[in-house]
Amino acid sequence: MSEAKTAVDIQDESRLAQLGYKQELKRDWTLMHNFGVSFSIISVITGITTLFSYGLTTGGPSTMIYGWIVVSLMTFSVGLSMAEIVSAIPTSGGPYFWSAMLAPAKYGPFLSWLTGWFNFVGQFAVTTGISFGCAGLIATAATIKTDFEPTAGKTLGIYAAILASHGLVNTFGVHVLRYLNNTSIVLHSLGVGSLAIAVVAKAPTHRSAAEVFQHFYDGTGDPGWSDRASPAYVAICGILLSQYTITGFDASAHLSEETHRADWNAPIGVLMSIGVSAIFGFFLLLCLLFSIQDFAATIDPDQNYGQPVFKIFVDVFGESGALALISLIILCVWHCGLFSLTSNSRMMFAFSRDGALPRFFDHVDERFKSPIRTVWLAAFLAFCLALPSLGSSVAFSAATSIATIGLYLSYAMPILIAVIWPANLTKGPFDLGRFSWPVGVIACLWVLFITVVFCLPTANPVTDQTLNYTPVAVGIVLVGTLGTWFLWAHRWFQGPMRQIELETAGVPIEEQAVLEQTTVVEKMP
């Protein structure tokens, strides 16, 4: 027996039908669930923990603090523009769908193709950064009080197991994702907040304000880039920690077809996730930096267990106490990777539904109400992206840079289109009004800035082990996307397909009448 639909359900489904799609995914997410997914994917404890070493050695405490503030404000401008667009166009496709809808008809397919593939690569690169980072944390934690020696192969094996667990939950446990979402919100808020307070309260000594707010440190080489270029160069490169951490909030858009009143709850989910994460992250950074006992030992790979945050915990709580806190972090990072894969699968499902991926992936399992094929496609691609870690120690940082650039370019493209052709955006309930254009311009300029910055070298000397492979990876994506478009995709890819119209055109008259009821609902106030 099907569940009775409420007026809100009818409104949501009719808006989706107006955009050309029928309701296939189960729409049972609230604002808190929608916010929780993006909040879990941003996961400040994940980004800060896994890139804490990078932050300490690429600008030091002062760059981490001020960089976090600047990045939070600029990212919020990106979020504001995205929120306005998702309010107007609430579909699982997200950025690539927006680009098609907002651009003039003759440019729509090309811009949709370009946006979609950058979002596609950024999606599974984020999952790689998160879950591979989780594997690294587990491998490092296993060395404490044991004789376990982590190797690239062992870490990759742990990573494969983590991806498998995420895939299984997203396949068979869609009905429990909401409850895991609630657990994740508690872990990332109360859990991380309690952890931060406990660390700073228990620390035997504290760094002075000057050592936190004024301490610049260049550990990028000998000589470092502050000598080869300038301290400003190092500080600019150091914002990767903050920018990578506050990434992935497009999940609120990708889950809009599963969210009640998506034209309002999805944009609020985007902004809430950025704002709450910015506050929690700043508090966590302060607590960790003030609790460093020995700065030199904390940045020394031979003394810090491979993770500076672990060194802080051990110095403050001892090895046994540190393991308890590390377990909490690993649990948070696991949830982060889980919902990242959820978001990946929804975007890939929509991309396949519109013909950019093989139609084999355009499938929602009737029993589990999950796009199972794209769940495992996302997991497979994330695993492949980590394979270079077997031969290069910089694979993880490259994945984080690719994820950041790929996603933010896909965020900026529809925003830029809306700036150039504002008349094509029919506003939804969330409306910036006269501020739409200036906020959009600021967001686009910021994305352009970080795209250039994250392609710069950050280690000296530059070798095959320290080379920043991000420009190469981004270049491959760009060349591949443009090449496939001009060689053959321009002949058949027309952008998002109006699924309902296509299906209506191929069914008997009596069945069309049922589908046409959707149009009647759309016209209702």
Side-chain angles (χ1 to χ4, degrees):
M1 181 180 295
S2 61
E3 297 179 4
K5 294 181 180 178
T6 65
V8 173
D9 292 330
I10 295 174
Q11 181 181 357
D12 286 329
E13 293 183 19
S14 65
R15 178 56 183 142
L16 186 61
Q18 189 178 37
L19 293 170
Y21 299 101
K22 61 183 180 180
Q23 186 72 46
E24 294 183 276
L25 299 169
K26 186 174 179 61
R27 192 182 290 269
D28 60 353
W29 295 66
T30 65
L31 168 59
M32 287 304 296
H33 293 124
N34 185 283
F35 151 75
V37 172
S38 286
F39 182 57
S40 298
I41 294 174
I42 292 175
S43 181
V44 293
I45 192 66
T46 299
I48 289 176
T49 300
T50 54
L51 286 180
F52 203 73
S53 177
Y54 177 90
L56 287 179
T57 56
T58 314
S62 61
T63 295
M64 296 166 77
I65 291 296
Y66 298 118
W68 187 272
I69 295 172
V70 172
V71 167
S72 296
L73 292 173
M74 299 309 293
T75 302
F76 201 76
S77 71
V78 178
L80 282 169
S81 292
M82 284 182 61
E84 185 174 54
I85 296 174
V86 71
S87 179
I89 313 171
T91 70
S92 293
Y96 85 84
F97 191 98
W98 304 339
S99 290
M101 295 287 288
L102 298 175
K106 62 179 180 179
Y107 303 124
F110 168 68
L111 293 173
S112 177
W113 179 265
L114 189 62
T115 304
W117 281 105
F118 270 106
N119 191 249
F120 179 87
V121 174
Q123 286 276 329
F124 69 79
V126 161
T127 299
T128 301
I130 294 166
S131 297
F132 192 73
C134 185
L137 294 176
I138 293 173
T140 302
T143 65
I144 300 177
K145 303 182 71 173
T146 72
D147 56 0
F148 177 79
E149 294 185 8
T151 63
K154 292 176 182 177
T155 301
L156 190 67
I158 297 171
Y159 174 58
I162 291 171
L163 285 178
S165 69
H166 292 159
L168 289 171
V169 173
N170 274 285
T171 297
F172 303 110
V174 174
H175 62 288
V176 302
L177 281 176
R178 287 190 302 160
Y179 304 105
L180 288 173
N181 192 339
N182 295 336
T183 303
S184 182
I185 293 174
V186 172
L187 286 172
H188 281 92
S189 54
L190 296 179
V192 174
S194 300
L195 178 151
I197 293 171
V199 171
V200 76
K202 185 71 167 56
T205 61
H206 297 100
R207 315 295 286 181
S208 67
E211 289 175 310
V212 172
F213 294 102
Q214 299 176 24
H215 183 190
F216 174 85
Y217 179 78
D218 180 9
T220 58
D222 186 18
W225 280 103
S226 60
D227 291 329
R228 288 196 62 184
S230 72
Y233 177 89
V234 176
I236 289 172
C237 291
I239 66 171
L240 174 61
L241 176 148
S242 306
Q243 195 67 74
Y244 167 69
T245 300
I246 312 180
T247 300
F249 45 87
D250 58 323
S252 290
H254 295 306
L255 289 164
S256 58
E257 291 183 29
E258 296 163 79
T259 303
H260 291 295
R261 202 186 171 193
D263 57 358
W264 180 255
N265 289 337
I268 298 303
V270 168
L271 297 177
M272 280 180 62
S273 63
I274 297 172
V276 175
S277 296
I279 295 170
F280 268 94
F282 186 70
F283 178 67
L284 177 61
L285 268 180
L286 285 177
C287 291
L288 290 174
L289 291 173
F290 272 107
S291 300
I292 293 175
Q293 301 301 296
D294 184 338
F295 187 85
T298 302
I299 63 173
D300 184 353
D302 295 328
Q303 301 183 60
N304 66 6
Y305 303 91
Q307 295 283 353
V309 172
F310 287 13
K311 174 63 174 173
I312 295 172
F313 290 168
V314 172
D315 287 346
V316 173
F317 296 99
E319 291 186 338
S320 297
L323 282 173
L325 295 185
I326 292 167
S327 298
L328 172 61
I329 292 177
I330 291 173
L331 194 56
C332 288
V333 180
W334 185 88
H335 279 80
C336 176
L338 172 70
F339 289 108
S340 179
L341 195 68
T342 304
S343 176
N344 291 182
S345 64
R346 272 49 175 183
M347 182 274 166
M348 294 176 183
F349 159 74
F351 213 30
S352 174
R353 181 175 61 184
D354 289 324
L357 290 175
R359 294 306 296 266
F360 171 80
F361 296 108
D362 174 17
H363 174 76
V364 175
D365 185 83
E366 287 294 330
R367 178 181 177 187
F368 298 108
K369 295 297 182 182
S370 171
I372 293 176
R373 295 172 184 174
T374 52
V375 165
W376 292 101
L377 172 64
F380 173 74
L381 293 173
F383 179 76
C384 290
L385 189 57
L387 288 176
S389 66
L390 293 172
S392 173
S393 59
V394 297
F396 175 74
S397 60
T400 59
S401 295
I402 296 165
T404 305
I405 291 177
L407 284 184
Y408 273 94
L409 282 175
S410 72
Y411 299 168
M413 287 181 194
I415 296 173
L416 179 61
I417 294 169
V419 166
I420 297 173
W421 293 289
N424 293 344
L425 177 61
T426 302
K427 303 291 185 68
F430 185 88
D431 182 1
L432 295 177
R434 62 181 181 178
F435 294 104
S436 293
W437 193 87
V439 171
V441 170
I442 292 171
C444 291
L445 290 175
W446 178 251
V447 173
L448 176 62
F449 172 73
I450 63 174
T451 299
V452 173
V453 167
F454 296 154
C455 289
L456 299 174
T458 57
N460 185 49
V462 178
T463 67
D464 61 342
Q465 289 295 307
T466 62
L467 177 68
N468 183 355
Y469 290 96
T470 303
V472 178
V474 173
I476 291 173
V477 175
L478 183 60
V479 171
T481 302
L482 294 177
T484 52
W485 173 260
F486 289 110
L487 287 175
W488 55 282
H490 72 279
R491 301 173 185 170
W492 54 267
F493 184 73
Q494 299 300 314
M497 299 180 182
R498 295 188 64 82
Q499 182 189 46
I500 287 181
E501 290 180 5
L502 292 173
E503 292 189 358
T504 301
V507 298
I509 295 295
E510 60 271 20
E511 294 183 28
Q512 288 188 28
V514 176
L515 291 175
E516 287 171 356
Q517 291 178 4
T518 305
T519 305
V520 176
V521 176
E522 292 169 12
K523 296 178 180 179
M524 295 174 62

